[in-house]
Amino acid sequence: MEVNKVYDKILSRSVSGNTVNYLVAPKTVHQFFSIGITFRKIPDYQRPYSWTDKNVLDLLTDIRNISDNESASWFLGPVFTVQTTPEDQVSDLLDGQQRITTIQIILREASLVFLENPDISFEGNAKLRGELDDLVKDCIDCLIRRVSRGENYALFETEESVKDLFRSYILGFNHLENSTQLENLRVEFEERAILEKLKGSKTAGRILKTIGVVKGYFKNEFYNNAKFSKLENLENFSNFVNALLWRCWILEVPLQRHDDSIQIFESLNNRGKQLTLVDKIRYKSLIAAVSADSREKIKKEWKIVYSGLESMEENHHIKNEDDFFKVFFNSISGADITDENEFIEVFSKNYLKSDETILKFLEETI
């Protein structure tokens, strides 16, 4: 068997005569978002967005560290996407959604620089004003694609439970005229996000926190940094955004859309990027569902589960989500299990039999 047949089953590629070109390619952040693919989205089996404040600050610091050195670059890691053919206009994010969601938020917040600094005067520094105008446009090119009749659509779609919420953040914060409109819209968005969080969406809560972290970082590091003048602060900000767009890069690995992608997803998250026990159970329950209707019911039930677990954790009834399920599965097995693989085995043996038993598991959990 020819060696390339192994990759033919997995990697997206183009074929010209006898030549096979695999589409694995390094891309800047700007290239990844703005060129080619119509939009990227999160598949159902992905974990919720869960980056902590520290994760977000670490990324912001990494970008800041290269921002003043024009020859420096930063590798953001590989991003695995699912793309059947080179002509596909929709790409599923198999791995990398935490980074990509965070980068989208950084880009959106960066695009609001003029509204966040309404009193700044660029007198005597028209060059900086022009640079910032161009960078805002470049950020928006990574967020939104303009189509006919003035309609726009977001280039990235997060998980189903907060798809509309995140789209409103990307699209709704465009073309605002003044800082008052911005603050009013922030209040409306925060109220919507809190409501979704109360309904059980972990992603909504974390997105709201990440927006706050990024906004606060920009304010402290660039907008109100006492070490520099206002214009010097914005020069540093310009360097930061330029570094993110053009000197931070990823390695995109597009896969074909078939069962191998699920195996790769599980493999990726078991080697250095550990899923929690809860992540694995949710993932397995979603991909094991046979009917689309059942999958929708399962997703809705998981929202309730996450809401309950978060409430129990906040009220110190449990240390963390995994501890809850360890007690849950030990009560089922009648044993004192400590190994994660054994917990998964108990779950699979008792509940991964049919759509009905998966829903029964979620009912018992609730």
Side-chain angles (χ1 to χ4, degrees):
M1 182 177 69
E2 297 178 15
V3 174
N4 67 358
K5 294 296 184 184
V6 175
Y7 308 114
D8 286 347
K9 294 179 180 178
I10 298 173
L11 296 177
S12 187
R13 66 200 188 281
S14 63
V15 180
S16 178
N18 294 324
T19 303
V20 178
N21 296 309
Y22 296 97
L23 305 181
V24 178
K27 297 179 179 180
T28 65
V29 167
H30 189 271
Q31 288 171 329
F32 179 77
F33 286 112
S34 66
I35 298 175
I37 295 296
T38 299
F39 75 92
R40 304 177 187 278
K41 65 186 183 71
I42 304 298
D44 286 345
Y45 51 80
Q46 276 279 23
R47 73 182 90 179
Y49 177 68
S50 57
W51 259 23
T52 64
D53 293 357
K54 183 181 184 304
N55 294 140
V56 178
L57 285 169
D58 285 346
L59 176 58
L60 291 165
T61 302
D62 289 339
I63 301 166
R64 183 73 173 100
N65 287 340
I66 67 163
S67 63
D68 293 326
N69 183 351
E70 291 185 1
S71 64
S73 65
W74 189 255
F75 178 46
L76 296 173
V79 173
F80 288 78
T81 57
V82 183
Q83 186 180 346
T84 306
T85 70
E87 293 75 31
D88 262 10
Q89 292 304 297
V90 178
S91 176
D92 288 344
L93 275 178
L94 179 67
D95 181 75
Q97 73 134 323
Q98 308 289 328
R99 282 166 289 157
I100 298 305
T101 304
T102 305
I103 290 169
Q104 283 272 296
I105 291 171
I106 296 172
L107 291 167
R108 172 39 87 205
E109 290 301 311
S111 75
L112 302 172
V113 57
F114 294 118
L115 294 174
E116 292 287 2
N117 297 274
D119 300 325
I120 190 75
S121 171
F122 290 92
E123 186 176 349
N125 202 331
K127 180 175 178 288
L128 176 59
R129 172 69 199 225
E131 288 174 355
L132 288 173
D133 279 332
D134 289 342
L135 286 171
V136 167
K137 180 181 179 299
D138 291 337
C139 288
I140 293 173
D141 285 343
C142 295
L143 300 168
I144 296 169
R145 186 153 296 168
R146 300 167 181 83
V147 292
S148 60
R149 297 189 301 276
E151 295 177 3
N152 298 328
Y153 66 86
L155 290 170
F156 172 73
E157 186 176 280
T158 189
E159 67 180 73
E160 185 71 26
S161 68
V162 292
K163 181 173 67 176
D164 292 338
L165 177 72
F166 196 77
R167 185 188 293 123
S168 73
Y169 172 62
I170 298 300
L171 297 179
F173 281 64
N174 216 36
H175 299 308
L176 296 176
E177 295 181 0
N178 53 60
S179 56
T180 300
Q181 287 184 352
L182 173 61
E183 288 310 307
N184 289 340
L185 198 57
R186 284 198 186 281
V187 171
E188 290 177 21
F189 178 81
E190 181 176 350
E191 290 173 350
R192 286 187 61 190
I194 291 172
L195 182 60
E196 290 300 322
K197 183 182 177 223
L198 291 174
K199 291 179 181 177
S201 173
K202 288 189 67 176
T203 297
R206 279 313 317 171
I207 284 174
L208 190 59
K209 284 199 169 187
T210 294
I211 291 171
V213 170
V214 175
K215 181 186 174 187
Y217 183 88
F218 284 173
K219 180 178 179 180
N220 295 328
E221 190 75 14
F222 301 119
Y223 301 161
N224 298 320
N225 191 328
K227 292 188 296 184
F228 306 101
S229 70
K230 287 188 175 182
L231 284 178
E232 285 175 320
N233 276 330
L234 289 184
E235 285 175 355
N236 292 330
F237 174 80
S238 175
N239 292 338
F240 175 92
V241 180
N242 192 288
L244 171 60
L245 287 166
W246 303 107
R247 291 191 280 114
C248 288
W249 61 283
I250 60 179
L251 186 67
E252 182 176 12
V253 184
L255 310 170
Q256 296 181 45
R257 188 176 289 113
H258 60 74
D259 291 344
D260 282 343
S261 66
I262 302 296
Q263 296 172 2
I264 290 171
F265 170 79
E266 191 167 35
S267 176
L268 283 168
N269 287 289
N270 280 324
R271 288 176 172 83
K273 300 179 182 180
Q274 287 288 329
L275 292 166
T276 66
L277 176 61
V278 179
D279 288 332
K280 290 180 179 179
I281 294 168
R282 177 181 179 272
Y283 154 74
K284 288 180 179 293
S285 68
L286 283 168
I287 65 168
V290 176
S291 77
D293 286 346
S294 293
R295 185 174 289 109
E296 287 304 309
K297 290 178 183 176
I298 290 168
K299 285 193 288 185
K300 289 177 181 177
E301 294 293 278
W302 269 110
K303 286 182 67 175
I304 299 172
V305 170
Y306 276 128
S307 180
L309 290 171
E310 189 167 7
S311 175
M312 290 182 73
E313 194 171 345
E314 287 176 351
N315 288 287
H316 307 292
H317 298 309
I318 56 174
K319 185 167 67 175
N320 56 49
E321 297 169 340
D322 281 4
D323 278 357
F324 171 87
F325 279 106
K326 288 174 182 178
V327 174
F328 181 93
F329 290 128
N330 272 318
S331 70
I332 293 170
S333 67
D336 187 16
I337 300 171
T338 57
D339 182 74
E340 187 174 275
N341 290 328
E342 291 184 70
F343 290 125
I344 296 293
E345 186 178 338
V346 172
F347 169 68
S348 301
K349 179 181 177 182
N350 286 275
Y351 297 108
L352 283 188
K353 300 174 183 178
S354 66
D355 292 2
E356 288 74 20
T357 55
I358 295 171
L359 287 165
K360 179 175 181 288
F361 159 75
L362 289 165
E363 180 184 344
E364 291 179 0
T365 299
I366 293 166

